[in-house]
Amino acid sequence: MTHAQRSQFDWLLIGLLTLLLLTAGGRLAPQDEETTYRVTANLIEYGRWTITAQTITIEPQTYPGFLPSAVPRDLLTTWAVPGRDGQLYPQFAPGQSLVAIPLYLIGRLLGGAPSLSAVLMTRFTTSLFNPIIIALTGWLVALFAARLNFSPRLSVALGVAYAFGSMALPYTRTYFGEPLIALTITLAAYALYRVKADRIARPDRVDVGRWLLISGSALAIAIFARERSAIMAPAFMIYAASIIRHDWRRWLVWLLPLAVVGALIGLMNWSRYGSPLTFGFSALQHTTFGTPLLLGLYGLLLSPGKGLLFYNPIVWAGLMGLVSMWRRRRAEAELFGLIIVAEIGFFSVYEFWTGGWNWGPRYILPIVPLLILAAGAWVQTNPTRLRRTVVGALIAIGVVVNLPAVLVDHSRYLVEFGERDPGQYLNRSILNIADSPLAQQWPTVFEMAQLYAQPGTWTAAREAVVGQLHAFQSDGDLEGISTHLMWLDEFFRLNVPDFWFVHWLLLGLPPLPIGLAVAGLLIAALVAGAQLIKLLRAG
C-alpha cells in the first residue's frame, strides 16, 4: 500500500470518528447496556465481578408530548444471574466490559471518586464506545476492500456505507455488544486474508505469526464478548485450514487465544454456576430454539420491523456479490457465506430472534460488514456505471432509512405505540409495514421537532432534569448512583433530541465549552472530508 493510499484511510478514520462522536447519544439504556457498564465500574472501583439489580419507575409525565404519558414504566436495571454463592453475576461474558476499561478510566480521571457528577462522567465516556468501534469497523472495511484490490474510491465508499448507510449508524447511541463483534469478526477475517495475500505478493516479507495471532485474538474477543459468537468459529477454521494447512506451529499461534478464552469462560461458569457449560444467559432466561425456521428467516430478512434487507439496502448488492466472489475468490466467498449462514441459521430458530427492543435485526449486525464487502465485489468484477450507480443509490437509501433513528431514539415511537395498543404493539411493529419503525420513525422525528418548536418545551424538559438531580440523595454506592442516573438517561431517550450535547445543555453545563466541542468535531470532520476528497481525486 502506497503512502497516498495510507493517507486516504487515515483521513477516512478521522472523518468517521469525528462525525460518529458528534452523533453519539452519550447515555446508557437499562439492562444490556447498564449490565456491561456496571461490570467495568465494579471491577475498577471495588475489584469484584458481581453486580446488583434494581427496578426504576418512570412516572407518567405531565407536560403534553412527554413520555410515558399514560402509565408508569417499570424497568429492570441489569440482567443479573444468581450464582451458587448467592451473589448476582452479569449474564454476559466480560469481554466488552474489559475492552471498555480505558474509556471508563478517562471518565474516572475527569470526574474523580464515585459521586453523582463522577458517575455521570464515566457513564458518558463509556457510552462513546460504540461510536469509536463503528468508526474503526468502517475504516477496516475500507482497508479490507483495498486489500481485495478494489479501487480506492470504492473502498472508501464501502467504509462509509457501513458507518452511515447501514443499521450500524443508530447503534452509535447504544452500548450493545454487536458492534464490537462486527469489528472483531471483520478483523479476524482480514488478518487471515493478509496471511494468504502477503504470502503470494511478498513471500520474503510476510509476518505470518503476527497476523495469525491478530486473527485468533480478534475471534477470541468476539467470543469473550458474547459466547454465542463461537458459532462462527467453524467457518474460520475451514478458511484457516486452506492457509495454514499442516503447519502445527501456525495452528498453535492461531488457536492459542481461542483456547485461553475458552478456558476462562469455562472456569468462570464453573465458579459461578457449578458447571463450565452453564452460561449466564441461559441460566437467567432459560432460552430455547423453538422458533419455526421459516418464521425466523422471514423475520430476520424480510419483516418490516426487523428485516436485514430493509434496514441495510446495500445487502441486496451484497447477496449478488457473494456469487461474484464465488467465481473469483472462492475461499473468501466460503468464509463469508458460512459466517452468514451460521448467524442467520442460529438466530432464525432462537426464541428471542428479534433481539429485543432495538433497531433492526441486532443479533446479525456482525454479518453486515462482510455483506458490504461482497457488494464491493459485485461492482469490482464488472465496474459499469450502472453497478456503481446502484450501489451508490443503495447507500443513500440506507442513510435515509437509518438517519431518523439517530435524530430521535426509536424507543419514543415504541413507548407511544405501546400506550395505544399494549397487547399487540410489538407484533404489529415487527410484522405490519404501516406500524413498523421504518414507516414511523420519520413521523416521530417531525413530531419531536414540533414539540420543541413550542416555547415551553425546553423549559419543561429542563425542570424535569433539574428536579431529578435535586431529588438525589447520595449513599456513596456507585450502583445506587447509576440507578438514579438511569432515570435521566431514559428521560433523554424518550423526550429529547438524542445527542449528547443536547443532554449536557439540559444538565446545566455552560453552553460555551459544549459549543466549542461541537465546533471542533465539525471542523475536524470537514477537514478530513476535504483531504480525503483531494487525495481520491489525485489518485
Side-chain angles (χ1 to χ4, degrees):
M1 186 177 294
T2 66
H3 175 73
Q5 289 175 321
R6 285 194 293 270
S7 296
Q8 291 171 6
F9 296 120
D10 291 343
W11 285 114
L12 173 64
L13 178 58
I14 293 170
L16 294 179
L17 275 172
T18 50
L19 283 175
L20 293 180
L21 287 172
L22 189 62
T23 62
R27 52 163 180 77
L28 299 174
Q31 298 161 0
D32 292 56
E33 300 180 28
E34 183 71 12
T35 300
T36 307
Y37 165 77
R38 289 197 187 184
V39 172
T40 305
N42 285 346
L43 185 62
I44 296 299
E45 304 296 346
Y46 308 121
R48 58 181 170 87
W49 295 99
T50 58
I51 60 174
T52 60
Q54 300 82 22
T55 299
I56 62 170
T57 300
I58 313 295
E59 298 293 343
Q61 301 298 299
T62 57
Y63 187 80
F66 284 175
L67 297 174
S69 61
V71 295
R73 294 195 72 218
D74 293 324
L75 299 169
L76 189 66
T77 56
T78 58
W79 295 123
V81 187
R84 60 178 180 172
D85 59 357
Q87 299 290 319
L88 293 178
Y89 293 93
Q91 73 166 4
F92 307 124
Q96 182 176 345
S97 298
L98 296 175
V99 176
I101 284 176
L103 289 175
Y104 182 91
L105 290 177
I106 292 172
R108 184 69 161 76
L109 179 65
L110 295 173
S115 64
L116 184 65
S117 60
V119 175
L120 182 66
M121 182 58 68
T122 57
R123 288 172 65 87
F124 169 71
T125 56
T126 303
S127 75
L128 301 180
F129 184 84
N130 274 345
I132 296 171
I133 292 296
I134 291 169
L136 287 171
T137 308
W139 172 72
L140 182 59
V141 166
L143 279 179
F144 203 161
R147 289 290 173 181
L148 291 168
N149 295 321
F150 296 177
S151 70
R153 292 187 180 185
L154 178 58
S155 299
V156 169
L158 295 177
V160 172
Y162 177 75
F164 297 104
S166 78
M167 71 179 187
L169 177 60
Y171 282 81
T172 57
R173 52 236 308 101
T174 76
Y175 192 36
F176 282 124
E178 282 69 24
L180 175 61
I181 298 172
L183 172 62
T184 50
I185 291 301
T186 307
L187 178 58
Y190 172 76
L192 275 180
Y193 180 75
R194 280 294 302 264
V195 174
K196 175 183 176 180
D198 288 357
R199 284 175 62 184
I200 297 172
R202 303 183 307 171
D204 57 329
R205 296 177 57 191
V206 62
D207 190 350
V208 173
R210 181 183 65 168
W211 287 112
L212 287 175
L213 184 61
I214 290 173
S215 175
S217 299
L219 184 56
I221 292 171
I223 295 171
F224 207 36
R226 295 292 185 271
E227 299 97 325
R228 61 177 181 263
S229 299
I231 63 175
M232 292 177 274
F236 282 97
M237 295 187 73
I238 293 171
Y239 185 62
S242 70
I243 301 170
I244 303 173
R245 300 186 185 278
H246 303 296
D247 191 330
W248 66 268
R249 292 182 181 86
R250 291 176 177 176
W251 274 112
L252 182 62
V253 171
W254 188 69
L255 290 172
L256 181 60
L258 296 168
V260 170
V261 162
L264 286 174
I265 291 174
L267 286 172
M268 293 178 70
N269 289 343
W270 176 78
S271 66
R272 294 175 180 184
Y273 314 120
S275 168
L277 298 179
T278 300
F279 299 92
F281 202 94
S282 59
L284 177 65
Q285 299 188 353
H286 306 288
T287 50
T288 63
F289 291 84
T291 300
L293 178 61
L294 291 180
L295 173 61
L297 287 173
Y298 168 75
L300 288 174
L301 298 177
L302 293 169
S303 69
K306 296 292 179 180
L308 177 75
L309 292 163
F310 296 127
Y311 286 84
N312 307 275
I314 195 172
V315 166
W316 290 95
L319 295 177
M320 294 185 287
L322 288 174
V323 177
S324 300
M325 290 183 68
W326 181 260
R327 295 170 181 162
R328 294 172 178 260
R329 299 181 181 276
R330 181 159 297 189
E332 288 69 44
E334 287 179 350
L335 173 63
F336 287 14
L338 287 173
I339 291 172
I340 292 165
V341 168
E343 282 277 278
I344 294 176
F346 181 86
F347 289 110
S348 290
V349 296
Y350 185 51
E351 181 181 3
F352 300 113
W353 62 267
T354 63
W357 198 328
N358 48 261
W359 183 259
R362 170 167 65 98
Y363 287 146
I364 58 174
L365 174 64
I367 69 174
V368 172
L370 304 182
L371 285 163
I372 288 175
L373 286 166
W378 181 68
V379 174
Q380 188 69 13
T381 53
N382 187 15
T384 62
R385 178 175 293 182
L386 175 61
R387 291 195 178 191
R388 293 196 299 267
T389 301
V390 167
V391 168
L394 291 174
I395 295 172
I397 294 170
V399 174
V400 173
V401 166
N402 291 286
L403 180 61
V406 174
L407 303 175
V408 176
D409 192 274
H410 71 285
S411 299
R412 178 175 175 83
Y413 164 64
L414 292 176
V415 168
E416 188 275 332
F417 193 14
E419 291 185 341
R420 288 189 283 114
D421 187 2
Q424 294 296 321
Y425 78 101
L426 277 179
N427 287 336
R428 289 176 60 185
S429 70
I430 293 171
L431 301 175
N432 296 342
I433 294 177
D435 297 322
S436 70
L438 282 178
Q440 294 297 326
Q441 193 59 24
W442 273 114
T444 302
V445 171
F446 298 143
E447 177 202 12
M448 179 73 80
Q450 292 174 351
L451 178 63
Y452 275 84
Q454 300 174 16
T457 303
W458 182 266
T459 301
R462 174 80 177 123
E463 290 175 352
V465 170
V466 171
Q468 184 68 10
L469 291 173
H470 287 168
F472 173 70
Q473 296 180 349
S474 176
D475 57 4
D477 174 66
L478 184 148
E479 294 196 69
I481 298 171
S482 190
T483 298
H484 187 83
L485 290 174
M486 286 182 67
W487 188 98
L488 288 175
D489 282 354
E490 193 66 11
F491 180 84
F492 290 150
R493 185 160 75 137
L494 297 180
N495 299 307
V496 176
D498 200 20
F499 297 97
W500 60 267
F501 47 86
V502 177
H503 304 166
W504 282 100
L505 287 171
L506 285 171
L507 286 167
L509 270 73
L512 180 59
I514 296 174
L516 290 175
V518 171
L521 289 171
L522 277 173
I523 292 170
L526 290 172
V527 170
Q531 290 295 322
L532 182 58
I533 291 171
K534 178 181 177 181
L535 288 169
L536 289 174
R537 286 178 174 174

